[in-house]
Amino acid sequence: MKSYKEALHNAAEVLAQADIEEAVNDSWLLLQYVTGITRSEYFLRPDTTLSEVQQQKFFALVEKRAEHIPLQHITGMQEFMGMNFLVNKHVLIPRQDTEILVETALELWKKQSVGVDSEQNAVGQNEILDMCTGSGCIAISLAALAKNARVSAVDISPEALCVAKKNAENLCHGKVTFYQGDLFAALNEKCKFQMIVSNPPYIPSADIETLMPEVREYEPRLALDGTEDGLYFYRKLAAQAGNYLAADGWILFEIGCEQADDVRMLLEENGFCDIFVRKDYAGLDRVVGGRKVS
Ligand code: GLN
């Protein structure tokens, strides 16, 4: 049987040959997944040998990764905001970029929300809505981290909601209320929110074919495709969100890095004020937000 070190070396070669960008790191993550070892255990004893079962499993998974199946579909997990989210082919794999949206929401929430007993508050005061929730990563992070927030989340896909509900049970005691349906049609007209957040599908249809195979072939098209110009969901949401926001409520979108001007304009056209754009850690435009005029 091979040692951890040999197995890693062989796996990294297989993955590099298959043009996997992070060949070494992905090999390590698969080894960790199969054996459960930590990095320090590995460095203390790199010559430990794998059991036969571990070795077979490890190289079978390396083969899968070599076919460009996303690592997260193999391990079934992705970390987001320090929590481990279950993922499968029915949900978009949570991206680190999206943490900027959550952090922006949390900062505004702190400033806006006094965190008093919701019974005494105005309509919608403590309510947050995550539209197009997918794995539930945004809604669940906010339920876990935004003080006194009551979080609702909508998705059109029942399969995605199944994943999101499991994540909510695992990560925030099921504290999110989920609704299935097409955007606001999923909700009662009388619902009001203090904040609406959304990372909707925003890739222009024609661009999907140019994405890496991991995304293009394995992530749900429903979660990627923003129609012809990529702006379909921003248009719909910007037009309708006002009806569901409490006075002074915020809408926050994650955007593709070239969409800031278009989305800003959509918010302006629909009467939002205090519009801002925030960049991600790579310096690219990533979040656009605006406030409903009271
Ligand atoms: N809100 C989810 C996420 O940010 C899903 C987004 C989507 O499906 N477009 O990961």
Side-chain angles (χ1 to χ4, degrees):
M1 289 298 115
K2 292 179 195 287
S3 68
Y4 288 160
K5 196 172 164 185
E6 285 169 324
L8 266 187
H9 187 76
N10 294 160
E13 262 178 11
V14 173
L15 295 187
Q17 287 242 320
D19 282 332
I20 301 294
E21 263 175 41
E22 306 262 344
V24 174
N25 193 43
D26 284 8
S27 303
W28 161 252
L29 292 171
L30 288 174
L31 187 72
Q32 189 175 42
Y33 176 68
V34 169
T35 64
I37 55 162
T38 63
R39 264 190 205 268
S40 44
E41 281 163 352
Y42 172 77
F43 285 117
L44 280 174
R45 284 184 285 278
D47 296 323
T48 310
T49 47
L50 292 155
S51 71
E52 194 175 342
V53 175
Q54 285 176 331
Q55 181 162 321
Q56 267 178 11
K57 186 169 178 199
F58 176 65
F59 284 103
L61 298 185
V62 169
E63 286 307 322
K64 277 195 176 180
R65 184 68 191 101
E67 288 166 29
H68 289 259
I69 296 176
L71 185 83
Q72 296 87 340
H73 285 183
I74 298 173
T75 63
M77 285 285 181
Q78 172 62 41
E79 194 197 307
F80 181 83
M81 295 299 291
M83 295 182 261
N84 275 326
F85 285 82
L86 298 173
V87 295
N88 64 21
K89 64 177 181 181
H90 299 296
V91 298
L92 191 82
I93 298 167
R95 305 296 205 266
Q96 217 187 343
D97 291 337
T98 304
E99 293 184 352
I100 306 283
L101 177 63
V102 174
E103 279 159 17
T104 309
L106 286 171
E107 283 163 27
L108 283 172
W109 189 254
K110 252 193 217 152
K111 272 191 219 156
Q112 280 251 312
S113 151
V114 278
V116 289
D117 186 344
S118 58
E119 306 279 309
Q120 296 164 18
N121 283 351
V123 184
Q125 183 74 39
N126 281 15
E127 306 283 343
I128 299 181
L129 173 68
D130 174 25
M131 190 56 99
C132 309
T133 197
S135 65
C137 62
I138 299 172
I140 291 164
S141 303
L142 292 175
L145 300 170
K147 196 174 168 210
N148 281 334
R150 284 203 302 245
V151 183
S152 303
V154 170
D155 205 283
I156 197 167
S157 154
E159 291 89 357
L161 283 175
C162 190
V163 176
K165 283 179 189 166
K166 279 192 200 137
N167 281 324
E169 276 159 32
N170 294 344
L171 300 170
C172 68
H173 312 286
K175 248 176 50 186
V176 176
T177 311
F178 291 100
Y179 298 92
Q180 190 267 325
D182 189 2
L183 304 179
F184 289 110
L187 300 172
N188 182 309
E189 286 161 2
K190 295 206 182 88
C191 289
K192 289 274 186 259
F193 302 92
Q194 188 180 357
M195 186 179 275
I196 298 176
V197 292
S198 183
N199 175 23
Y202 58 65
I203 301 176
S205 308
D207 291 1
I208 292 180
E209 291 319 312
T210 69
L211 301 175
M212 58 202 285
E214 279 82 346
V215 181
R216 173 181 88 213
E217 280 167 33
Y218 294 101
E219 294 209 73
R221 196 151 286 235
L222 194 61
L224 300 169
D225 195 339
T227 77
E228 215 163 301
D229 65 358
L231 298 172
Y232 173 85
F233 291 95
Y234 301 116
R235 253 184 225 111
K236 282 229 152 181
L237 294 174
Q240 294 173 20
N243 299 332
Y244 295 85
L245 278 170
D248 288 325
W250 286 92
I251 183 151
L252 303 178
F253 289 124
E254 175 173 325
I255 54 154
C257 60
E258 287 167 359
Q259 294 170 324
D261 289 342
D262 288 326
V263 175
R264 171 192 279 278
M265 208 129 70
L266 284 171
L267 288 182
E268 270 168 20
E269 281 166 16
N270 285 283
F272 286 87
C273 64
D274 296 341
I275 299 169
F276 67 89
V277 177
R278 185 159 173 188
K279 292 188 190 303
D280 62 21
Y281 295 117
L284 303 171
D285 291 338
R286 189 57 65 197
V287 171
V288 175
R291 194 166 56 81
K292 177 177 166 169
V293 180
S294 50

